[in-house]
Amino acid sequence: MNGTERAAIKPGLQVDIVLKQDQRTGKLTRGIVKDILTNAPKHPHGIKVRLADGQVGRVKNIMP
């Protein structure tokens, strides 16, 4: 599942995000959602979240 809809993302979910510095390469970072930073219900590049370890990026995949 992709991460463009805010309703699909909840704290505690495991997700793959793209960090700001990895946007050119598309390198994914996996982690657990701590906070949802995007207020809009949808975002074409993915909802911005903060992971439990403090990293911030846009959600590309939601793990089942």
Side-chain angles (χ1 to χ4, degrees):
M1 185 183 302
N2 69 15
T4 59
E5 295 193 23
R6 191 176 192 276
I9 299 167
K10 303 272 185 276
L13 284 179
Q14 186 176 41
V15 295
D16 286 336
I17 66 168
V18 173
L19 302 173
K20 182 76 171 174
Q21 64 266 26
D22 294 332
Q23 284 178 345
R24 287 176 182 255
T25 63
K27 178 178 172 264
L28 297 176
T29 302
R30 186 163 290 177
I32 304 295
V33 176
K34 181 180 176 190
D35 301 309
I36 301 172
L37 304 178
T38 300
N39 289 323
K42 288 186 174 187
H43 193 285
H45 301 297
I47 300 298
K48 190 178 281 188
V49 298
R50 179 179 294 117
L51 299 180
D53 62 4
Q55 297 183 94
V56 174
R58 294 199 179 271
V59 177
K60 293 299 173 191
N61 300 309
I62 302 171
M63 297 298 113

